Amino acid sequence: MNATLGATRDALRIDSVTKRYTTGDHRVTALDGASLDVREGTFTAIMGPSGSGKSTLLHCAVGLDRPDGGSVVVDGTDLGGLGERELTEFRRERVGFVFQSYNLIDALTAVQNTLLPARLARRRLGREDALKALEEVGLRDRADRRPHQLSGGEQQRVAIARAVLTRPSVICADEPTGALDLARGRQVLDHLRAVVDTHGRTVLVVTHDPTVATRADRVVFMADGRIVDEIDARDGERFDAGSIALRMTGPEES
Amino acid sequence: MIAFAMVRHRLRSVLGGFIALTLGVALLAASAIVIASARPTVPPRYENASVLAVPGEAGTRSDDFTVARAVWSVDEADVLVEEIARGDGVTDAVAEHRFQVQVMDGDRILGDVVDGDPNGAGWSSFVLGSTKLLDGAGPSGDDEVVLPASHGRSVGDTVDVLTAGAEWPMTVSGITDGDDVLLPDPLAEESATGVSLIGVVTTAGAEPTSSGDLVRDVVGPASDVYTDDERGAMESEFDASNNWVGQQLLVLIGALAVFVSVFVVGTTFTFQVSVRRRELALLRAVGGTPRQVRRMLLGEAAVVGVVASLVGAALGVVGSHLLGGWMIDAGLLSRYWQVRSVALPVGASVLIGLATAVAGVLGASRKGAAVRPLEALRPEGDRDETVPKWRLWVTVCAGFLGVVLVVATTRGDMEQAIAYGLASSLALLVAAAVAAPLYLPRLVGLLPGKSPLTELLRAQARTDPRRPASTLLPALLVSTLAVTVLGQTDTLAGAIEEHSRGEIPGDAMLVRTDGGGGLTDTALERTREHADGEVVSHLSTGVYVDGSWVESVGLRPSAVPEGTALASPATAERFGWAEGDTVDLTWRDGTNGRIMVTVEEFPPELEMWAELALPHDLAREHDPATFTIMAAFDPVDAEALSTALADQGVHVEGTDRLLDEGIATEIGLLRLFAGTILALSLGYTAISLANTLSLSTSARRRDLALLRVTGAHRRQVLGLLTAESGLISTIGLALGASLSLPGLYALTIGLRDEFDPRRGPAEIAVLLPWPELGLVFAASLLIGVLAALIPAARALRRSPSAMVAERE
């Protein structure tokens, strides 16, 4: 409700984060001093070519991966100071996820999958809450189906329902529409947008699809492990797929 | 709840572990029930006696196991019984006269062969038992007998009653539901060898403890007195009919069931975890702590464990009746056995089953908890390819234990050598199984050939050694067990065949027609008339020197001069006797005497068991109750002799054939053991192989699909899987076979001194039954290939694109 009114606080502060991987003989620098602040109640898209470090940034931002240097503060909590167990608990309380695919556990029904993080956290949330969350993504009637009985888009929407159920501060999505066709992808984006507009949550999406980015409030561009450019809808810049695509080719060429 | 949903969903993949555990618990429960129910009982013939007194222990028989007790002479016993009978509350005190007996109807033997105690007794013993008189009455004259109903006679029929030294035509005066042939007391007294038991029946109100004390005071501290109160002690003393071999078999089955269940359940769950990495990673990503993941996996194991254990326990209860019945038929269990104790053995088996499931999953759950959340995002997470330390440790420890056991095998006696040999193979098996991910890729890497498929095989074994390792294990298990068990059996059988044929004089022997043991003196005499030369016979008896048992033989004919005893050098040394000494001893019937001894080396067939040899007639004089155990001779006309001996229940048989039969019986028992173990392990292997391979194939559907997309024919893919499964099974079989060899060679060394010592250490060779082994190997190879092909063929039925599109 108060999405725009309270949009002054930072839900996420990433400060000069570095991350290196060693694969085989050669080392890869995935993040090279990336910094990014995300205001609460906004929809941010991270774009960039493959290998620019956008997924790694997302993983570091929400505690799925640990950076080698720099700091990540989510909703006032510095992730660097958390142990493995605390980090896990932080994730399930404060962060929601939607992956590109393989989001759901096959053994569980849609409603059970939705409830899973709450149950792991021993929150007092029941079937009714999960059904409500599923209703918001239009899947109440599919609540008792198992993942293989759902389409790819429906599975992504269940993942969104799961991500918002515990009312986390940040919801992250890594190519949420990457495996979907256009119409289904749009539906999924509508629901993500609604998470921001009606629930005032903060959403962070990694994508390389400019049309996805047009639904965001702000688009940041990455290259070689750093944030190199950004467009903010509220700064009055041109915010359509074409100009975003144009801006994206900039860093790619450089 | 999550664990529950997971188990339900993955029913198929936990099925292997489930079935293995169910079977394991069923076998364990059945064995445990049979063992628990096989605890001794007071045989019906003594059930009515509240106090039983027996003379003190005097040593053990030549089997080093059966207790030999002292004996009361008839006069001593009469004094004791008279005194006991005067006590308060005593209604009957009976000095039991027990002896071997055989009842004939002309040439027909009546009744079945009875193991355990001899079944002839005086009518006075009837009151000691719970046995009921079904018809007629006790013997009223010297020529009346009471028979068990199993003899199939009725009151008024006439029969011939044979004891070792006498034969009486008698009339049946009564029929009982028991096992004993009851003679008039004067005849029984004359047929028995002293008194070995005094039974006391008390009035209903009498305190068992005070009656026991009364009897104890009378018989003195040297004797043992058992009362109702000490039912356990009483039971174990008076039930000699339980077969030790049967118990060993049961313990072996139980132990093997546990070993194999842990093995199979452990592999199943460990493999499960590696198949489910992504799912576990997803759980971690959405907020499951490592502890929660571990708990969930343990919970799953508990669900499987509880259900499998309960189903197994139910099957075990049913199975125990079958197993018990089968063992009674095979002569491995007392006739009196029945299912008596269920709750405790079943409870213990269920607990062990649960513990097995949890133990099996413990390592797997640790591994599962260590899965990192990011692995959910990668199709094949970058796995830790370093070898965990515990694998090295377990390999080294188990390997070391195996070597120690191999050494122990070379030092032990026959039974120890067999047990240690088996244990050493199992220890080496554990080492080989745990280390499999270390050496398997290298072994597969040796595979020649440059086709893309063999290259793929090598590459896959290198990148994910745990998968082929878990398919290796069942083949490894079955081959180790098969080669060890069958190898031991054949090696032992060969050794027995070659080295344990005694030198028995003469071409023929007398045998009881009904398969029982024991020859009457009449039969011996008639044989002597029909034999060409001497009849060598053995009467197994004993004497007491300074109160301790000396296993003795009554010999015919002139091997021992009349009025002397022949001592082996070892016996002479034991008692400090010299050639020509006259020594004091107590005869088998409790009377005292003196005899002159000569010291001489015994022939081998006697040296195995006898310490002292007496002339037959002297032995018979003091031991009228015991049949002669062997008679060997050269027959003049075997058929005529057999006809002449028919009314004694014996006939003539060729010595060679008898030896063959004896050895065959001994080997048959070994084979029974081997067969049981092998059948069990093959069954387990089939289950576990089918399970692992079907899991592994469904986990690789995507790989298979990619192979199809990149242009492999369906047949090529199936060929690849066949080659892989065949190769790994072959490696497992070969490896298992070679793991068994140290134990087998050690066994041949351990057995060297187990046979006739005068011929020096026996030369024993390792014998392997190639046809049987070939069959076992072929069966497990076939199971392995089918288990890989069937699920793959099902998966490959779909088009390549559908397979790729399919979600994992």
Side-chain angles (χ1 to χ4, degrees), chain B residues 614-688:
Chain B
L614 305 169
H616 177 90
D617 290 344
L618 184 63
R620 173 60 73 220
E621 185 187 335
H622 294 294
D623 191 356
T626 316
F627 285 136
T628 298
I629 53 168
M630 187 211 74
F633 55 96
D634 287 317
V636 177
D637 181 347
E639 246 171 72
L641 179 55
S642 284
T643 316
L645 291 174
D647 68 343
Q648 298 293 307
V650 294
H651 67 274
V652 181
E653 195 82 71
T655 303
D656 284 340
R657 217 189 115 196
L658 278 177
L659 281 181
D660 287 345
E661 271 174 18
I663 288 168
T665 311
E666 204 164 332
I667 293 172
L669 203 60
L670 288 174
R671 291 205 187 281
L672 185 73
F673 266 66
T676 310
I677 292 170
L678 217 61
L680 286 181
S681 55
L682 253 184
Y684 269 120
T685 305
I687 294 165
S688 117

Side-chain angles (χ1 to χ4, degrees), chain B residues 672-742:
Chain B
L672 185 73
F673 266 66
T676 310
I677 292 170
L678 217 61
L680 286 181
S681 55
L682 253 184
Y684 269 120
T685 305
I687 294 165
S688 117
L689 248 182
N691 176 54
T692 321
L693 281 172
S694 94
L695 271 183
S696 140
T697 306
S698 38
R700 290 163 77 199
R701 279 159 102 121
R702 216 155 247 259
D703 286 355
L704 300 184
L706 277 177
L707 272 176
R708 291 280 286 124
V709 171
T710 47
H713 292 302
R714 191 168 296 166
R715 230 181 318 150
Q716 279 176 309
V717 177
L718 291 177
L720 175 75
L721 290 171
T722 310
E724 184 190 54
S725 173
L727 176 71
I728 289 172
S729 295
T730 308
I731 292 177
L733 294 173
L735 204 60
S738 55
L739 291 180
S740 316
L741 294 181

Side-chain angles (χ1 to χ4, degrees), chain B residues 24 190 199 223 266 422-423 466 511 595 610 652 708:
Chain B
E190 145 192 338
S223 306
L422 180 61
R466 283 187 209 112
V511 286
I595 195 163
V652 181
R708 291 280 286 124

Side-chain angles (χ1 to χ4, degrees), chain A residues 6 40-41 59 63 81 133 137 190-191 194 200 252:
Chain A
E40 197 175 57
H59 296 157
V137 293
D190 287 343
H191 289 297
E252 248 174 88

